[in-house]
Amino acid sequence: MDRWLCAALIGYALTFTFSKPMTIQQWLLLTTLVAVLSWRRFGIRRYTSVLGCVLCGIAWGSGNAYLHQITLITGDNLGKTVPLMMTVTEITQTQPDFWRIQGTVNNIQNQRLSMPATVRLSWYEPPTQISPPQAGTTWQFQARLKAPQGVRNDGGFLYHRYLTGQKIHALGSIRSGSFVAGEPNYRQQVYNQLAAFEKNLSQFGILQALTLGERQALAAEQWQTYQRTGLAHLIAISGLHLTLVAAGVLWLSRKSMRYYARSRSRRETTNSWVWATCIALTVTFFYAGLAGFATATIRAFVMFSVVIIHKYFALHTPSSRVLLRAVAVVILVYPLAPLQSGFWLSVVAVATILLMNWRWPIIQGRWRGVRALWRLELTLTFAMWPLTAMWFGGLPILAPLTNLVVVPIVTFWVLPLSLLGLFSLVVNAETISLWLFRIAELPLSYAEPILNYLANSSWQWLPAHLTGPIISVVVLVLTWVWPWHWRYKISCIAVFCLGLVIRYQLHQYDTQVKFHILDVDQGSAIVIAQADEAVIVDTGANWELGGNMAERVILPFLQQHHLTPVYGFVSHTDNDHQGGVATIAARFPALRWFGSGHGLPCVAGQTGQWRRVAWQVLHPRRVTNNEHNDDSCVLKFMIGESSVLVPGDITKRAERSLLAHIAPVQADILVLAHHGSNSSSENYFLQAVSPYLAIASRGRNNAYGMVAEQVKQRLEALSIRLVDTARGGQITVTFDQQKWWIDQPWAGTNRAWFDADN
């Protein structure tokens, strides 16, 4: 059976390498070929069942990928305001002047969809006279829908993969809405009861996350503190919490059943273990329901159920096979679970624990419990290193120590008291509930200053860009856990460190110039890089509700490529160009700025040389703060015999001024002015620039219709190739000594189906 499961999982894993899901015709053709070969050639008959399981895995993976990619919401409903009927399924995330609502949509423009679509909507500045939509209720919205796609850049969070893993079919913003029918579901009611304690509890966000799996009350600083100290897994309902609840209920149930079965007749007719496990399964299922049946909780519940079934039928199976079967069941329940980081974190954690129990001897002697826990935390931190580097951007060096101290506190103090407080709240004992919650948060309040200090200490955070490529880290971890002599392990570490030093030295002397046009949605951000230094042109947008593209895209990109910016240009004062200046200036205080009131003014005639790149300002011809589109700082970069023109947001008026003053606008590459608006890029200007390539930096779902069709027609008439950040993400142009070439590393055409452009 396990051999067949492995074969099926291999086939399933193969589907995540396909550029598009396998069609039913292709699958049937492959099945027929296997059947014919097994009938004609005796040599592969023994493998027929295994090949059949591989095909079943391929069918399951491709089938679910195909179902997800079915266009439930057609293109004629995107990019415009349409009426839709939504049943809210998740608790609404509420912030001042902003609500995020998620639910299923069955009806758009009075037309019923073939299948319910999951949609996530944002409501900015909602009316003060209505309350946020409650989970379980149905609402009528006027909403502008857009494709479920995020920005794509090196080092950044790939939002489109997250949306695919969550099976979200569309995003959108609400213009207006009204309540239709329905009552809040039970989870929403409990959430409302617990929300009344928010002002009375200093650690309310963490307690709410532990009991209901809702993290919206967590401040961004609080979440970063727990993440950078290696404790993020404690503030989300996961396998650890579900296991603790199950173990506690099992223990209480066994004790209760023993008391119940004091008489001989009851002892002979009552199986206390069966009753205890049934009660434990019921309670953990209810606990998973309180968490909204999130993927992490369902995954933990499935794994716990698989273990219980093995115990019930007295199946003496190695733990590794139990894990294999549990993973197979999880994939049956959540076919897209591998696109979520929590799936891999759980599997790696459990596999590491199994490996330790299999290969390493049991610790004996004094303090063996503490020593065993220390060894476990140290090993888990080391094993999780590649995943934390990939998804969280670094490794908290003190994670073993913080987990050694905090995990027992949360396990034996915070979580039990919080659950008792939640139970008291459910039975309307609010005074007792508040008292229990206050006791539960005490150790967290005492630990918070220490955790904040550690989180803000750069010495205890190892950034991912300092540890080399992820594949190198994976190889290092595998060689360390491999059962061979210590001298080989130490040799591998020495080779790894030597490789990092050599790689760093080679990077220092790199002569290639790379021109990165980053995907910052509807905005502009360019990074010109050579070796370990960079020049920044524009910084993307800043949002009134918090955050900006510098934090989300530019800084992670610079870290990923080990770059330190030395010059910064801001073409003009529009938010989508200068929104991240303050963030980047705070991170790199020595950076020298030009334009838009930041540092030196940007005015025609300025020139400079940085490494192999010569730059020249062509416009404006007088000193301004670059406040208007036609006062944008127009830059020309020369790399050897090649050149790039970056005209900001100038319109036809400024284009004519450039030509009237005989500015040297001719360039091999043109970044389209004003993101491809029809107010710019007139035919005579394009003829004067005469580029081989035009690049549009714009948002996939922008409301302005950019790139304008008229601009596309002009480019096509002049045989100028157009490349778009909205279709494929980040664009990188590499300049060598004699030639240049273009690449889109995150374009869906070059990657697996889940990276396809929506």
Side-chain angles (χ1 to χ4, degrees):
M1 172 184 172
D2 294 319
R3 181 177 61 181
W4 297 345
L5 276 181
C6 285
L9 289 176
I10 289 173
Y12 170 78
L14 286 175
T15 61
F16 285 85
T17 66
F18 295 169
S19 59
K20 59 182 180 180
M22 182 179 289
T23 63
I24 187 63
Q25 295 87 351
Q26 293 171 326
W27 186 84
L28 288 174
L29 179 62
L30 187 58
T31 305
T32 304
L33 179 61
V34 171
V36 170
L37 287 175
S38 62
W39 175 57
R40 286 291 185 185
R41 297 187 179 275
F42 180 81
I44 73 165
R45 287 185 185 177
R46 69 183 71 177
Y47 305 114
T48 302
S49 58
V50 174
L51 291 173
C53 290
V54 171
L55 290 175
C56 288
I58 292 175
W60 183 249
S62 290
N64 282 281
Y66 173 77
L67 289 175
H68 177 76
Q69 289 189 319
I70 289 179
T71 307
L72 301 177
I73 299 178
T74 55
D76 58 344
N77 291 320
L78 300 177
K80 62 182 180 180
T81 302
V82 295
L84 57 86
M85 195 76 68
M86 170 185 278
T87 299
V88 183
T89 57
E90 302 291 333
I91 293 174
T92 299
Q93 297 182 29
T94 58
Q95 298 178 13
D97 300 326
F98 169 74
W99 296 343
R100 175 169 288 168
I101 306 162
Q102 184 170 318
T104 57
V105 173
N106 292 294
N107 189 296
I108 299 179
Q109 297 193 77
N110 298 319
Q111 295 181 355
R112 190 168 184 84
L113 300 180
S114 58
M115 294 174 59
T118 303
V119 177
R120 175 176 289 181
L121 302 176
S122 299
W123 198 342
Y124 299 97
E125 298 183 357
T128 56
Q129 65 270 20
I130 64 174
S131 300
Q134 305 273 289
T137 59
T138 301
W139 284 66
Q140 174 81 35
F141 291 122
Q142 293 285 335
R144 183 183 180 89
L145 298 178
K146 58 184 180 180
Q149 186 168 317
V151 297
R152 308 181 184 197
N153 301 278
D154 294 341
F157 176 62
L158 299 176
Y159 189 49
H160 67 281
R161 288 188 183 179
Y162 167 81
L163 295 174
T164 300
Q166 295 291 328
K167 296 185 177 180
I168 294 175
H169 300 96
L171 303 174
S173 55
I174 297 173
R175 300 293 187 263
S176 63
S178 59
F179 172 78
V180 176
E183 294 291 333
N185 59 26
Y186 184 73
R187 183 170 181 254
Q188 179 74 63
Q189 295 174 25
V190 175
Y191 174 86
N192 294 339
Q193 287 181 283
L194 186 59
F197 292 163
E198 183 170 5
K199 296 181 179 179
N200 301 314
L201 299 170
S202 60
Q203 303 293 327
F204 174 78
I206 296 176
L207 298 177
Q208 187 186 67
L210 286 173
T211 52
L212 292 177
E214 283 291 326
R215 291 184 291 188
Q216 58 177 291
L218 276 170
E221 297 79 11
Q222 231 176 353
W223 169 248
Q224 185 178 15
T225 294
Y226 277 78
Q227 179 181 314
R228 291 178 72 93
T229 53
L231 299 171
H233 63 97
L234 292 179
I235 52 178
I237 297 179
S238 61
L240 172 64
H241 306 83
L242 215 66
T243 302
L244 292 174
V245 171
V249 173
L250 272 174
W251 182 79
L252 290 174
S253 302
R254 292 293 295 274
K255 291 292 184 182
S256 302
M257 293 304 300
R258 287 176 183 175
Y259 178 80
Y260 171 78
R262 287 179 299 171
S263 65
R264 178 179 296 179
S265 60
R266 289 177 177 174
R267 284 198 300 271
E268 293 175 350
T269 58
T270 303
N271 188 329
S272 62
W273 190 89
V274 172
W275 279 100
T277 52
C278 289
I279 294 172
L281 282 171
T282 303
V283 172
T284 51
F285 183 80
F286 179 75
Y287 185 42
L290 282 178
F293 292 114
T295 306
T297 52
I298 290 295
R299 181 173 60 247
F301 178 76
V302 166
M303 290 185 174
F304 175 68
S305 302
V306 171
V307 173
I308 291 297
I309 291 172
H310 279 75
K311 293 287 186 182
Y312 178 80
F313 289 103
L315 299 174
H316 299 288
T317 307
S319 300
S320 57
R321 294 192 175 188
V322 176
L323 175 62
L324 174 68
R325 296 168 187 179
V327 169
V329 176
V330 168
I331 287 174
L332 283 175
V333 176
Y334 272 97
L336 300 181
L339 293 178
Q340 302 180 16
S341 59
F343 172 83
W344 295 105
L345 292 171
S346 298
V347 172
V348 171
V350 175
T352 302
I353 295 172
L354 293 177
L355 179 64
M356 289 179 59
N357 292 332
W358 171 54
R359 295 297 308 176
W360 293 357
I362 298 175
I363 293 178
Q364 302 292 341
R366 293 183 176 182
W367 300 95
R368 58 181 176 271
V370 175
R371 288 160 57 200
L373 184 58
W374 170 255
R375 184 176 71 174
L376 172 64
E377 295 298 343
L378 192 64
T379 306
L380 282 175
T381 300
F382 192 62
M384 295 289 189
W385 183 4
L387 298 181
T388 55
M390 183 187 305
W391 287 310
F392 305 124
L395 177 73
I397 297 174
L398 292 185
L401 181 60
T402 55
N403 277 272
L404 183 66
V405 175
V406 179
V407 167
I409 294 174
V410 173
T411 300
F412 300 110
W413 182 283
V414 180
L415 183 60
L417 290 175
S418 299
L419 293 177
L420 287 175
L422 186 67
F423 177 76
S424 302
L425 184 65
V426 169
V427 297
N428 296 321
E430 296 183 358
T431 303
I432 298 175
S433 174
L434 181 58
W435 180 72
L436 288 170
F437 278 123
R438 281 177 172 170
I439 297 176
E441 73 173 359
L442 283 176
L444 298 177
S445 299
Y446 288 129
E448 188 172 39
I450 301 174
L451 295 178
N452 287 336
Y453 167 75
L454 293 176
N456 295 322
S457 301
S458 58
W459 56 266
Q460 81 89 34
W461 178 257
L462 183 63
H465 67 275
L466 296 181
T467 59
I470 298 299
I471 187 64
S472 300
V473 177
V474 172
V475 172
L476 177 63
V477 171
L478 291 177
T479 54
W480 184 260
V481 300
W482 194 260
W484 55 14
H485 198 275
W486 281 96
R487 61 174 175 267
Y488 297 116
K489 296 183 179 182
I490 295 174
S491 299
C492 289
I493 294 177
V495 171
F496 176 77
C497 295
L498 180 62
L500 288 181
V501 173
I502 294 174
R503 178 173 175 268
Y504 176 75
Q505 291 297 326
L506 291 176
H507 183 65
Q508 293 278 18
Y509 297 104
D510 188 5
T511 60
Q512 285 187 342
V513 175
K514 295 191 176 182
F515 203 94
H516 305 280
I517 296 88
L518 302 185
D519 180 11
V520 289
D521 202 59
Q522 187 63 21
S524 175
I526 298 171
V527 175
I528 308 167
Q530 182 182 349
D532 59 347
E533 291 186 344
V535 173
I536 295 177
V537 182
D538 291 336
T539 60
N542 180 64
W543 303 296
E544 294 181 0
L545 298 175
N548 54 63
M549 279 297 178
E551 295 174 346
R552 184 178 174 186
V553 173
I554 301 175
L555 291 182
F557 180 89
L558 295 175
Q559 291 177 356
Q560 175 81 7
H561 292 276
H562 317 171
L563 297 172
T564 300
V566 293
Y567 293 106
F569 295 89
V570 184
S571 62
H572 70 300
T573 58
D574 280 5
N575 178 52
D576 60 335
H577 290 252
Q578 73 156 359
V581 169
T583 299
I584 296 176
R587 177 65 178 81
F588 302 100
L591 194 154
R592 188 180 181 187
W593 291 96
F594 293 86
S596 301
H598 304 285
L600 296 175
C602 185
V603 62
Q606 289 174 317
T607 60
Q609 182 77 34
W610 169 77
R611 293 183 178 254
R612 289 184 56 215
V613 180
W615 56 270
Q616 179 181 3
V617 179
L618 305 182
H619 184 82
R621 302 190 66 81
R622 58 187 177 86
V623 177
T624 69
N625 280 333
N626 310 110
E627 294 179 357
H628 306 290
N629 285 350
D630 280 336
D631 290 332
S632 293
C633 178
V634 177
L635 292 161
K636 183 176 181 180
F637 296 94
M638 289 76 73
I639 308 101
E641 299 297 324
S642 304
S643 55
V644 182
L645 184 66
V646 184
D649 277 2
I650 62 172
T651 66
K652 300 172 183 177
R653 177 183 175 185
E655 291 177 349
R656 294 170 183 172
S657 175
L658 281 167
L659 298 182
H661 289 90
I662 319 177
V665 295
Q666 194 280 329
D668 298 294
I669 300 172
L670 169 67
V671 178
L672 288 177
H674 207 181
H675 318 285
S677 169
N678 191 40
S679 62
S680 311
S681 304
E682 280 195 321
N683 195 66
Y684 54 81
F685 182 74
L686 293 176
Q687 289 177 338
V689 178
S690 186
Y692 297 104
L693 178 72
I695 297 175
S697 177
R698 62 152 187 137
R700 166 70 173 85
N701 300 298
N702 75 84
Y704 311 104
M706 301 171 182
V707 175
E709 284 299 324
Q710 298 93 323
V711 174
K712 292 180 181 178
Q713 292 171 6
R714 294 174 205 147
L715 293 173
E716 185 177 0
L718 295 172
S719 300
I720 301 172
R721 179 187 173 194
L722 173 64
V723 185
D724 190 351
T725 59
R727 297 287 185 181
Q730 166 195 329
I731 299 169
T732 297
V733 184
T734 303
F735 295 89
D736 211 336
Q737 296 293 340
Q738 302 294 333
K739 59 182 179 178
W740 59 269
W741 62 92
I742 186 171
D743 181 36
Q744 272 190 292
W746 295 100
T749 54
N750 303 324
R751 306 185 73 89
W753 62 267
F754 48 82
D755 282 332
D757 292 312
N758 293 306

